């Protein structure tokens, strides 16, 4: 008897077993013409799962329900399946991320998406809680994926299968690019996974949601009921002008608090002028742009900082390392008005080194940046002493992308302006 998976097409929970089957070389047939609300209410189906939920896997030894259990069963049909990792600790990590995918990702995506689709009552406070939980989970996942292509080890495991399937409805229906751009390593991971041949065979072409589904409006009451209610209502009085004014005052948006950096004394250095000079200088960079920078630089209004990545030993894959820098610069966008930066990826072979130079308004690294951009804690920050000619020359070399830099090749250089 072949393995039969009872589910409707497009079910992300059914995808888990079908993708696991592709990696394991196991044949699993998806039932045809499955109609939710009909097929899962038959006595035959309820005998396999009394709850009437899908998917259910029909095997020669009996039925299995719950999607993660089904995926595990299918994967274990192949001896020594690498989907469970190559050691006991990797196996534990696979199980760990499967649980994470269920308790942190799937639950939060569902609580955000389902009320928007009308499957559950919409409550704004509940949605806000779901979004906060989801961002917390994605932030944690993003940190883990900073230097990793896969969740565990160096190849696809069942953890990747389950997590990607649980992320699928989020990316497809509600998590727009604006939402996910805060988690660039999660983005890179998700698109890498769904474009793996075994994933794509089952999931097809995946496209990201362009907008958040609107809240489903409640159905309007019948006209007759409206008429009866209208008769019961007492005539409304014309509101007094003072009441209208009070309401208008209450509804008026509160003024946005000023950034502390906007309250600093004016500086002779105009940051946009420097950024323009940097962008427009195509030749004689040292003589034009670098000289121009030091002519403009105001040490009272601005400060310069070196940053050095604390965990360079993790930077073993070039594109992952460069993606790490790209994500960092994306999250720094909140301080574009107050900063200029250069980030260098150094070395011709792994592990690669990450070093940076930043110009910030004020005399400290801005607190709101330290609070909001979690990557900041991954770097050591050292204030530049411009009275030290060696440090001053290092600043010039980093702005210029001078190669070799400190005796090593430049793999990549990115500018934040």
């Amino acid at each position: 008897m072949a393995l039969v998976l009872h589910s409707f097409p497009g079910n992300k929970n059914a995808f888990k077993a079908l993708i696991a089957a592709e990696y394991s070389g196991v044949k699993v047939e998806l039932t045809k013409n499955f109609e939710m609300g009909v097929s899962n209410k038959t006595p035959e189906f309820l005998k396999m799962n009394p709850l009437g939920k899908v998917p259910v896997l029909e095997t020669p030894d009996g039925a299995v329900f719950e999607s993660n259990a089904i995926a595990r069963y299918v994967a274990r049909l192949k001896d020594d399946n690498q989907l469970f990792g190559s050691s006991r600790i990797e196996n534990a990590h696979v199980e760990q991320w499967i649980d994470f995918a269920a308790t942190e990702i799937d639950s939060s995506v569902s609580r955000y998406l389902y009320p928007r689709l009308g499957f559950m009552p919409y409550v704004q406070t509940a949605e806000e809680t779901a979004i906060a939980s989801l961002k917390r989970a994605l932030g944690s996942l993003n940190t883990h994926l900073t230097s990793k292509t896969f969740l565990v080890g160096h190849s696809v495991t069942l953890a990747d299968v389950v997590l990607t399937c649980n992320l699928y409805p989020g990316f497809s229906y509600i998590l727009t690019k604006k939402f996910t751009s805060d988690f660039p390593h999660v983005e890179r991971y998700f698109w890498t996974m769904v474009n793996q041949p075994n994933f794509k065979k089952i999931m097809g072409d995946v496209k990201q949601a362009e907008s958040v589904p609107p809240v489903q409006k409640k159905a309007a009451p019948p006209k007759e009921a409206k008429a009866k209610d209208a008769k019961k209502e007492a005539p409304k009085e014309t509101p007094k002008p003072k009441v209208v004014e009070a309401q208008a005052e209450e509804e008026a948006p509160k003024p946005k608090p000023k950034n502390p950096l906007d309250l600093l004394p004016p500086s002779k250095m105009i940051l946009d002028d420097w950024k323009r000079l940097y962008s427009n200088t195509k030749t004689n960079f040292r003589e034009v742009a670098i000289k121009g920078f030091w002519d403009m630089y105001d040490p009272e209004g601005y400060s310069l900082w070196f940053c050095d990545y604390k965990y360079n030993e993790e930077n073993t894959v070039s594109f992952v390392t460069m993606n790490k820098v790209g994500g960092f610069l994306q999250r720094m966008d909140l301080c574009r008005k107050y900063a200029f930066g250069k980030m260098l990826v150094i070395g011709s072979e792994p592990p690669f080194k990450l070093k940076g130079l930043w110009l910030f308004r004020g005399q400290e690294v801005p607190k709101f940046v330290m609070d909001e951009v979690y990557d900041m804690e991954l770097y050591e920050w050292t204030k530049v002493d411009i009275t030290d000619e060696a440090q001053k020359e290092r600043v010039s070399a980093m702005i210029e992308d001078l190669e070799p830099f400190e005796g090593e090749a430049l793999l990549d250089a990115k500018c934040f302006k």
Side-chain angles (χ1 to χ4, degrees), residues 169-184:
F171 272 82
S172 299
Y173 297 104
I174 202 166
L175 303 183
T176 62
K177 176 66 177 177
K178 182 179 179 181
F179 187 102
T180 61
S181 62
D182 287 338
F183 313 99

Side-chain angles (χ1 to χ4, degrees), residues 47-266:
K47 187 176 180 180
M48 293 187 293
N49 184 355
L51 295 175
K53 293 183 177 182
V54 295
V56 170
L57 184 68
E58 191 175 356
T59 82
D61 300 315
V64 181
F65 58 83
E66 293 298 333
S67 61
N68 292 347
I70 295 171
R72 288 185 178 100
Y73 175 86
V74 170
R76 289 193 174 108
L77 289 175
K78 178 183 178 182
D79 293 334
D80 299 324
N81 197 330
Q82 291 301 302
L83 286 180
F84 290 105
S86 57
S87 65
R88 287 182 179 179
I89 189 62
E90 284 194 357
N91 179 235
H93 287 159
V94 169
E95 296 292 349
Q96 160 191 292
W97 286 108
I98 289 175
D99 286 351
F100 173 90
T103 58
E104 303 294 340
I105 299 297
D106 192 36
S107 61
S108 297
V109 169
S110 300
R111 287 184 287 121
Y112 183 18
L113 175 62
Y114 290 170
R116 288 269 174 175
L117 298 181
F119 298 155
M120 297 167 60
Y122 176 82
V123 180
Q124 184 176 346
T125 53
E127 178 177 272
E128 291 171 354
T129 301
I131 291 173
S133 297
L134 182 57
K135 286 185 174 180
R136 179 175 176 271
L138 292 177
S140 176
L141 178 61
N142 194 73
T143 300
H144 177 73
L145 293 170
T146 297
S147 59
K148 297 179 182 296
T149 302
F150 308 100
L151 287 174
V152 181
H154 301 288
S155 61
V156 172
T157 65
L158 194 62
D160 298 303
V161 175
V162 173
L163 179 61
T164 301
C165 290
N166 284 354
L167 285 169
Y168 169 79
F171 272 82
S172 299
Y173 297 104
I174 202 166
L175 303 183
T176 62
K177 176 66 177 177
K178 182 179 179 181
F179 187 102
T180 61
S181 62
D182 287 338
F183 313 99
H185 302 302
V186 176
E187 283 186 326
R188 181 254 308 158
Y189 168 82
F190 179 77
W191 296 117
T192 298
M193 289 299 106
V194 297
N195 283 293
Q196 297 291 310
N198 287 335
F199 282 76
K200 197 163 187 176
K201 181 178 179 180
I202 301 302
M203 305 174 90
D205 292 326
V206 180
K207 294 183 179 179
Q208 188 161 12
E210 295 182 356
S211 60
V212 176
V215 176
Q216 299 294 310
K217 294 181 179 179
K218 294 181 180 179
K223 291 183 179 180
E224 292 182 6
K226 282 186 176 180
K228 291 178 181 179
D229 291 341
K231 291 178 182 179
K232 294 178 183 178
E233 289 180 2
K236 295 181 179 178
E237 295 182 4
T238 304
K240 297 178 182 180
K242 287 184 179 179
V243 175
V244 174
E245 289 174 6
Q247 289 177 344
E249 289 175 2
E250 290 175 1
E251 295 172 2
K254 296 179 180 178
K256 188 177 179 180
K258 283 193 173 185
N259 190 299
L261 300 184
D262 292 327
L263 305 177
L264 293 174

Side-chain angles (χ1 to χ4, degrees), residues 6-7 34-58 62-65:
H6 295 262
S7 177
F34 189 95
E35 187 178 351
M36 197 63 184
V38 178
S39 304
N40 61 315
K41 301 297 183 182
T42 63
E44 294 79 11
F45 187 94
L46 293 175
K47 187 176 180 180
M48 293 187 293
N49 184 355
L51 295 175
K53 293 183 177 182
V54 295
V56 170
L57 184 68
E58 191 175 356
V64 181
F65 58 83

